[in-house]
Amino acid sequence: MKNIQRTLILGCSLLALAGCGGDEIVSPGSGGNIIINNPAPTPTPTPTPTPTATLVTPAAGCPTIATVAGLTDQGTISGPTGTYRVCRLPATFTSNDTLRYIPGLLYEIRDRVNIGTDQGFSSTNTAVTLTIEPGVTLFAQGNSFLVANRGNRLVADGTAARPIVWTSRDNVQGLASDASDAQWGGVVLLGRAPVSDCNTGVFNTAAAPTANPQCQQQLEGTAVATPYGGTNSADNSGTIRFNQFRFSGFELAPGNELQSLTTGGVGSGTVIENIQSFNSSDDGAEFFGGTVRARNLAIIGASDDSLDTDSGMQGFFDTVIAVQRSNTGDNLIEMDSPDSLTANTPSNATPQTRMFVNNFTFVQRSSQSTQVVRARGGAALSLTNGVIDALNVCYRIDEAPTLAALIRIDSVVGACSKTSRPTQGSSGVTDAQVLERVNAGSNNNVAFTITLTNNVVNGSGETGITAFNANPINSFFPTRTFVGAVQNAAGFESTFRSWTCNSSIQNFSSPLGLCTSLPVYTG
């Protein structure tokens, strides 16, 4: 179970994140390890990088940007793909700027890098926009991370052929492996959409919806106070399309971690599509409050939860792959709402976390993972058109309010019968009650025989399942005729293959090559 209090201590060269739980921007792993027999590992994929005649040679220098502090030339760095010019980002972008793609050039994130400064709870302006061109690679090490402060935007629009890569110094130097993680911090987007956990201790409830007219949460630091949240559900914190996040989630102390991508109070105007998280040492991605829309997520090898939502998030997630490593990982979904198990937030605080996931494939491989989906704290869950390849319990529901809040489970099949306990209740909820709710949905099966190929591509068994039309739930969900994230080999090719990276955990057969190497482009 997560603790409540989280603080972010920022110095000029040191970030310290404190606390763990469903309330703030960092979160812990979990305990309760079990020993189970894992299936044979996926064969190591054959590297298929874009061919190059020679190794990369360094760019002549760093480009000029509008921010006065500018980019700092840090010399060169070498690795298996060649030698690169290193251009260090300024501590704060103070003007609209663009990081151009230049062959032989990498951008370095050092310590905390800010996009603008906080624009306030009720602001409507966009102060600073940082744009990153397709094909750009950014790297960091240790506790370094990038944050788009509230009222500013990150526009990181890669393409299927040239994604934007966020990675570690070790990855550049060829020192990272498929077992590596925790090599740098991550990326944080903050916005002005509602959150349920207020840093003042006064909360909005259904009975008193305006008890705190300025409910916001905050990352407190010695140098900068960093709030998020507001009243604009449609707020826009930017665009992230076709991005890879590798080897992130630096752990400063037990339970004090960043993950690949973290959002706090982002609104529905924020675009999050075609994202790969690879070997994050905490969650693959975590969303605190806000009104999130995310599509085409590939969360591979997360050490804690693959997908984590809390603090009143209202979110729709479409087409999600999550595959664990065999020796690390907790839940593939963990969701919290303000709950009675925490001291700071009452169970009736609003907004209530509501999470809708459609067309997903979850592959539980970790010996540390005791359940695939865990909901608690009165959070409301909807799962449609899913495939769960489980080693253990498929669904765990904590507390009667969470069971009562369950929205629906329809056309979701799982190999949950590999144990004698396919579902689990806790804190006043019985296993049988959870199973009853799952079986009440349409076309569900907790004793399904998995026929997936390449971990995530539907086989004959999955193809035979009747799909649920999720479009009436929200127009963000297309009408589809299949369950799972990947209908067939053609769907795998069109949705995930071109912009991802390959590993022994999940081979996408991507032309960009291995996650342990940098993509190199010609032309």
Side-chain angles (χ1 to χ4, degrees), residues 419-435:
T419 71
S420 59
R421 194 181 193 185
T423 60
Q424 180 182 353
S426 181
S427 303
V429 177
T430 68
D431 296 2
Q433 286 175 318
V434 179
L435 183 59

Side-chain angles (χ1 to χ4, degrees), residues 31-62:
N33 296 355
I34 58 171
I35 304 300
I36 43 184
N37 294 320
N38 291 304
T42 305
T44 301
T46 301
T48 53
T50 304
T52 56
T54 58
L55 293 177
V56 171
T57 57
C62 297

Side-chain angles (χ1 to χ4, degrees), residues 145-486:
F145 74 113
L146 181 141
V147 55
N149 289 295
R150 185 171 58 176
N152 303 274
R153 292 178 184 172
L154 170 65
V155 177
D157 250 342
T159 65
R162 294 195 176 192
I164 293 166
V165 176
W166 308 77
T167 193
S168 66
R169 185 181 185 90
D170 277 7
N171 193 189
V172 175
Q173 295 178 311
L175 303 176
S177 72
D178 282 356
S180 300
D181 57 20
Q183 294 183 341
W184 67 290
V187 173
V188 180
L189 297 184
L190 303 178
R192 297 169 287 199
V195 299
S196 61
D197 298 323
C198 313
N199 62 346
T200 61
V202 177
F203 301 91
N204 298 316
T205 65
T210 59
N212 186 345
Q214 191 162 312
C215 180
Q216 61 183 359
Q217 190 49 264
Q218 187 159 289
L219 291 74
E220 294 184 357
T222 56
V224 181
T226 311
Y228 63 93
T231 59
N232 182 9
S233 294
D235 192 38
N236 183 347
S237 297
T239 302
I240 300 184
R241 290 192 183 101
F242 296 106
N243 280 227
Q244 297 178 13
F245 298 90
R246 307 179 181 182
F247 307 111
S248 65
F250 189 83
E251 182 178 67
L252 301 159
N256 302 328
E257 302 162 321
L258 285 168
Q259 48 265 317
S260 295
L261 175 64
T262 304
T263 71
V266 302
S268 60
T270 307
V271 177
I272 301 172
E273 295 180 349
N274 298 86
I275 303 299
Q276 182 180 16
S277 169
F278 180 72
N279 280 20
S280 173
S281 72
D282 192 49
D283 301 325
E286 187 159 13
F287 302 89
F288 297 86
T291 47
V292 176
R293 306 289 183 269
R295 192 189 309 279
N296 297 346
L297 306 182
I299 302 174
I300 311 301
S303 290
D304 190 15
D305 307 314
S306 296
L307 184 59
D308 196 336
T309 62
D310 38 44
S311 299
M313 186 221 64
Q314 316 285 293
F316 296 88
F317 300 87
D318 181 60
T319 310
V320 182
I321 287 172
V323 182
Q324 291 182 324
R325 283 181 275 174
S326 62
N327 62 344
T328 185
D330 192 11
N331 310 296
L332 286 94
I333 282 181
E334 180 171 282
M335 61 180 307
D336 296 90
S337 204
D339 66 85
S340 57
L341 299 180
T342 61
N344 288 357
T345 309
S347 59
N348 61 346
T350 58
Q352 172 198 42
T353 299
R354 294 173 63 84
M355 180 182 188
F356 298 80
V357 187
N358 181 58
N359 282 106
F360 62 90
T361 301
F362 294 155
V363 182
Q364 184 187 43
R365 290 288 181 260
S366 172
S367 59
Q368 300 179 29
S369 179
T370 55
Q371 60 272 320
V372 176
V373 176
R374 185 178 186 183
R376 60 188 179 186
L381 174 65
S382 170
L383 299 175
T384 52
N385 298 317
V387 178
I388 301 175
D389 188 0
L391 294 173
N392 209 331
V393 170
C394 279
Y395 308 94
R396 174 175 170 175
I397 306 295
D398 294 352
E399 309 145 352
T402 314
L403 185 64
L406 199 153
I407 301 168
R408 64 164 21 95
I409 298 177
D410 287 293
S411 295
V412 180
V413 297
C416 315
S417 58
K418 290 181 181 178
T419 71
S420 59
R421 194 181 193 185
T423 60
Q424 180 182 353
S426 181
S427 303
V429 177
T430 68
D431 296 2
Q433 286 175 318
V434 179
L435 183 59
E436 181 181 15
R437 287 300 304 273
V438 173
N439 288 337
S442 60
N443 303 310
N444 296 328
N445 186 349
V446 296
F448 183 75
T449 300
I450 296 293
T451 63
L452 296 169
T453 62
N454 193 20
N455 282 332
V456 295
V457 180
N458 285 355
S460 58
E462 294 79 21
T463 300
I465 301 302
T466 301
F468 178 86
N469 183 10
N471 182 258
I473 296 174
N474 191 278
S475 60
F476 184 73
F477 295 143
T479 298
R480 296 195 180 99
T481 59
F482 61 92
V483 302
V486 183

